[in-house]
């Protein structure tokens, strides 16, 4: 079956990409694959169609079923909240005996210990990091859906500083928590830079998602920037009232955040001007369904 993407509008007025299945699925242009490989990919699409969370979006190459691109929304309560993070995925001919190959669109930024500037994603499930048992890829039980959910939940978490193995033994210690809060400050600024990059250079065929997502989240993003600049701890809500100590570290964070907030406000205003009326001018499902990712 060929795979195309259909857009579905939700009450939040945020346009979400979902998978819809149509007629003849083609194999990759290169590499030898089998009917079992094709069937496995078909099952992956069905699983994604059924269980993909509302905060993860997927698009596929209509004529290259071994490829897909995903956009993951940073979870609330983390320094990545409201951001969009893009990943390219390739299913090798050996799949599922080996895991999919995943590339992160970093924009040259290292905003998480598991996400490298080079695009490498360190995750046990991808066999790019150590692990044991169910942490590692299993040809019988592991799925693409698990990979996407793991990136969102385990990598883009509330205390990414402790993702570094050498720092795990400092969890819940005064020194460890201090370093973790400082890391979150840096991660949030880099997340803001990533937002700027996405607004200025949205990935091909994700332009509509970028416009609608940042139109929907504009106020929340700017309110968070303002709250964090006032001393509220990154990732916490204003109602929590928890604040940083006013030290040199915070002063440096505030200066950098203020500069990026100004840039973000300008880009978000441009984005708002581009956004169609969400209720009346949202692209019809059939218009989007006819567009699949082309070669890059």
């Amino acid at each position: 079956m060929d795979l195309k993407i259909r857009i579905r509008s939700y009450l939040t007025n945020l346009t979400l990409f979902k998978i819809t299945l149509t007629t003849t699925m083609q194999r990759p242009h290169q590499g030898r694959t089998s009917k079992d490989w094709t069937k496995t990919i078909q099952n992956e699409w069905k699983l994604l169609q059924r269980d993909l969370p509302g905060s993860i979006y997927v698009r596929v190459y209509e004529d290259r079923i071994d490829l897909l691109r995903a956009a993951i929304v940073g979870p609330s309560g983390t320094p990545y909240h409201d951001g969009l993070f893009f990943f390219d995925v390739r299913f090798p001919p050996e799949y599922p005996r080996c895991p999919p190959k995943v590339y992160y669109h970093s924009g040259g930024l290292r905003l998480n210990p598991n996400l490298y500037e080079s695009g490498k994603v360190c995750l046990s499930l991808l066999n790019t990091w150590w692990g044991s048992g169910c942490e590692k890829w299993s040809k019988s039980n592991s799925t693409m859906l698990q990979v996407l959910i793991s990136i969102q939940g385990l990598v883009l978490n509330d205390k990414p500083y402790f993702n570094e193995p050498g720092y795990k033994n400092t969890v819940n210690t005064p020194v460890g928590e201090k370093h973790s809060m400082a890391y979150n400050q840096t991660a949030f600024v880099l997340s803001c830079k990533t937002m700027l990059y996405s607004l200025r250079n949205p990935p091909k065929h994700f332009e509509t998602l970028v416009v609608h997502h940042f139109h929907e989240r504009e106020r929340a993003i700017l309110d968070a920037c303002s709250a964090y600049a006032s001393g509220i701890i990154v990732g916490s809500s204003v109602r929590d009232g928890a604040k940083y100590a006013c030290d040199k570290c915070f002063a440096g964070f505030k200066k950098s955040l203020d500069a990026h907030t100004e840039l973000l406000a300008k880009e978000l205003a441009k984005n708002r001007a581009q956004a169609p009326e969400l209720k009346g001018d949202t692209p019809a499902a059939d218009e989007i369904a006819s567009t699949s990712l082309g070669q890059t």
Side-chain angles (χ1 to χ4, degrees):
M1 293 183 289
D2 278 344
L3 295 167
K4 296 184 180 180
I5 301 301
R6 190 173 297 276
I7 281 187
R8 187 153 57 112
S9 295
Y10 281 69
L11 295 177
T12 59
N13 290 330
L14 176 61
T15 303
L16 304 181
F17 293 93
K18 290 293 178 184
I19 295 175
T20 195
L21 305 176
T22 56
T23 51
T24 18
M25 180 176 282
Q26 296 182 30
R27 296 177 185 176
H29 299 312
Q30 298 177 348
R32 295 181 179 179
T33 58
S34 65
K35 290 182 180 180
D36 287 341
W37 180 90
T38 302
K39 185 177 180 180
T40 299
I41 300 294
Q42 289 175 332
N43 289 335
E44 290 282 10
W45 300 150
K46 291 175 183 177
L47 186 62
L48 287 168
Q49 184 183 36
R50 188 185 70 208
D51 296 333
L52 194 69
S55 53
I56 299 177
Y57 315 115
V58 169
R59 298 208 76 167
V60 301
Y61 284 77
E62 184 178 49
D63 59 349
R64 289 290 304 277
I65 67 165
D66 57 321
L67 304 176
L68 69 81
R69 177 169 289 169
I72 297 177
V73 178
S76 61
T78 75
Y80 309 107
H81 65 81
D82 299 310
L84 279 178
F85 304 92
F86 293 92
F87 300 83
D88 286 342
V89 177
R90 180 177 68 84
F91 297 100
E94 301 80 16
Y95 189 83
R97 295 193 303 276
C98 67
K101 309 299 182 183
V102 181
Y103 173 84
Y104 168 57
H105 288 257
S106 70
L109 303 174
R110 180 81 182 275
L111 47 66
N112 185 285
N114 299 72
L115 303 176
Y116 286 71
E117 298 96 323
S118 64
K120 180 181 179 180
V121 178
C122 264
L123 191 66
S124 297
L125 194 56
L126 295 175
N127 291 347
T128 51
W129 189 246
W130 59 269
S132 60
C134 62
E135 296 174 343
K136 300 286 284 183
W137 180 264
S138 164
K139 67 178 182 179
S140 303
N141 300 313
S142 300
T143 65
M144 189 64 233
L145 178 64
Q146 286 178 320
V147 170
L148 295 174
I149 291 175
S150 293
I151 291 173
Q152 186 180 54
L154 300 179
V155 174
L156 301 173
N157 62 41
D158 59 338
K159 293 183 178 182
Y161 173 80
F162 298 115
N163 286 11
E164 284 284 4
Y167 302 148
K168 285 185 177 180
N169 59 353
T170 65
V171 175
N172 295 325
T173 67
V175 172
E177 294 302 320
K178 180 179 180 180
H179 288 163
S180 176
M181 286 194 293
Y183 189 96
N184 278 9
Q185 291 176 342
T186 301
F188 182 72
V189 170
L190 293 177
S191 183
C192 288
K193 286 186 177 182
T194 302
M195 292 182 202
L196 286 168
Y197 185 82
S198 295
L199 284 162
R200 293 166 178 169
N201 305 282
K204 190 175 182 180
H205 298 300
F206 276 85
E207 296 91 344
T208 300
L209 173 63
V210 169
V211 169
H212 285 264
H213 171 79
F214 285 112
H215 184 278
E216 169 76 13
R217 302 306 301 164
E218 175 182 355
R219 190 69 266 155
I221 291 167
L222 295 178
D223 284 349
C225 288
S226 177
Y228 299 156
S230 74
I232 297 296
I233 291 176
V234 170
S236 64
S237 68
V238 177
R239 285 174 294 183
D240 291 340
K243 288 196 172 188
Y244 294 106
C246 293
D247 55 16
K248 290 182 180 180
C249 181
F250 174 73
F253 164 65
K254 184 180 186 307
K255 182 178 180 180
S256 180
L257 179 58
D258 286 344
H260 285 90
T261 300
E262 184 177 351
L263 294 173
L264 261 179
K266 291 178 181 178
E267 291 299 327
L268 288 169
K270 292 179 184 178
N271 183 71
R272 191 189 326 131
Q274 294 179 45
E277 291 295 328
L278 295 180
K279 291 184 179 179
D281 297 331
T282 299
D286 290 342
E287 294 178 26
I288 301 301
S290 66
T291 305
S292 62
L293 290 176
Q295 297 292 339
T296 55

